């Protein structure tokens, strides 16, 4: 913000053109979906071309309604994709716990346990494996957090294919068809266009 360049100006005008061209877009919150919290988390290793910092993204649904989402650069440059994905998993676990406490405070009874989907097999293996390896000691805080919440039954951690990972929407540029498919899956509708 303190030293914008021509590239920043072009990016800003592109965003404004997109917003002007789609004034009817908004989130749809269906009434008849089942009450279960589902989350998707992902990271794009070295996704920022300027700083090579990774980008973390997640989104959470109650039933079919999108209630929380985030996209943010990780604070430091990271050496492995497993570390990036696991840090994203730790951030998403914190958000899931906050949503859980919020729903408890609102006295919303959820009959099913929460689901968190991750598309990185290394991160899933680290979460389920109680033995720390030398190469994962930098993840110790996140490992304790995620494993503690898994063992407490806050969530079930499940794999998902990369092509179905909704959090990709928040971490990287997508091809137009996939972008529009994900918009629909996120519950974004255009009130000026009838659904297909």
């Amino acid at each position: 913000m303190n030293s914008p360049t021509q590239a920043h100006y072009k990016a800003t005008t592109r965003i404004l053109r997109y917003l002007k061209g789609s004034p009817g877009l908004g989130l749809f919150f269906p009434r008849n979906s089942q009450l279960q919290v589902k989350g998707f988390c992902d990271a794009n290793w070295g996704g920022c071309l300027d700083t090579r910092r990774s980008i973390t993204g997640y989104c959470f649904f109650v039933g079919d309604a999108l209630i929380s989402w985030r996209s943010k650069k990780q604070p430091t440059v990271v050496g492995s994709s497993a570390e990036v994905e696991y840090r994203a998993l730790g951030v998403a676990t914190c958000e899931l716990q906050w949503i859980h406490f919020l729903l408890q405070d609102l006295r919303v009874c959820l009959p099913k346990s929460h689901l968190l989907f991750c598309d990185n097999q290394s991160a899933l293996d680290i979460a389920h494996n109680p033995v720390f390896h030398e190469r994962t000691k930098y993840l110790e805080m996140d490992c304790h957090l995620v494993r503690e919440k898994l063992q407490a039954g806050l969530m079930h951690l499940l794999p998902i294919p990369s092509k179905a990972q909704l959090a990709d929407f928040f971490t990287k540029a997508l091809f137009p068809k996939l972008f529009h498919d994900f918009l629909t899956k996120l519950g974004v509708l255009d009130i000026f266009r009838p659904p297909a």
Side-chain angles (χ1 to χ4, degrees), residues 101-134:
F101 289 150
L102 176 66
L103 292 172
Q104 278 184 334
D105 289 346
L106 295 172
R107 300 191 195 307
V108 174
C109 180
L110 298 172
K112 296 182 178 181
S113 61
H114 310 313
L115 302 176
L116 185 56
F117 294 95
C118 177
D119 67 355
N120 186 277
Q121 192 59 49
S122 297
L124 293 169
D125 291 342
I126 293 169
H128 289 102
N129 186 354
V131 178
F132 282 100
H133 301 288
E134 184 64 27

Side-chain angles (χ1 to χ4, degrees), residues 62-81:
V62 172
D64 294 327
L66 181 65
I67 60 162
S68 176
W69 62 91
R70 184 176 188 186
S71 179
K72 185 176 181 181
K73 276 193 239 180
Q74 291 187 356
T76 58
V77 177
V78 178
S80 76
S81 62

Side-chain angles (χ1 to χ4, degrees), residues 19-30:
L19 292 174
K20 185 178 180 185
S22 50
L25 285 181
L27 287 174
F28 177 68
F29 297 98

Side-chain angles (χ1 to χ4, degrees), residues 10-11 72 80 91 137 146 157 171 178:
K10 285 182 181 178
K72 185 176 181 181
S80 76
V91 170
K137 68 181 179 181
V146 174
L157 190 56
T171 61
L178 192 57

Side-chain angles (χ1 to χ4, degrees), residues 27-30 33-41 58-69 95-96 99 103 110 113-117 160 164-167 169-170 181-188:
L27 287 174
F28 177 68
F29 297 98
S33 61
Q34 54 181 296
L35 281 178
Q36 182 178 29
V37 177
K38 294 179 288 190
F40 298 84
C41 70
Y58 63 72
C59 58
F60 285 94
F61 296 81
V62 172
D64 294 327
L66 181 65
I67 60 162
S68 176
W69 62 91
E95 180 72 5
L96 180 60
I99 292 169
L103 292 172
L110 298 172
S113 61
H114 310 313
L115 302 176
L116 185 56
F117 294 95
I160 190 168
Q165 174 58 277
L166 287 177
F169 189 85
F170 302 99
D181 288 347
F182 278 7
L183 268 181
T184 303
K185 289 178 183 176
L186 290 169
V188 177

Side-chain angles (χ1 to χ4, degrees), residues 138-157:
Y138 45 77
L139 294 174
E140 193 167 342
M141 295 296 284
D142 287 327
C143 281
H144 284 299
L145 170 74
V146 174
R147 192 168 299 122
E148 179 183 298
K149 300 308 171 191
L150 273 173
Q151 290 172 347
L154 174 71
M155 63 186 177
H156 291 295
L157 190 56

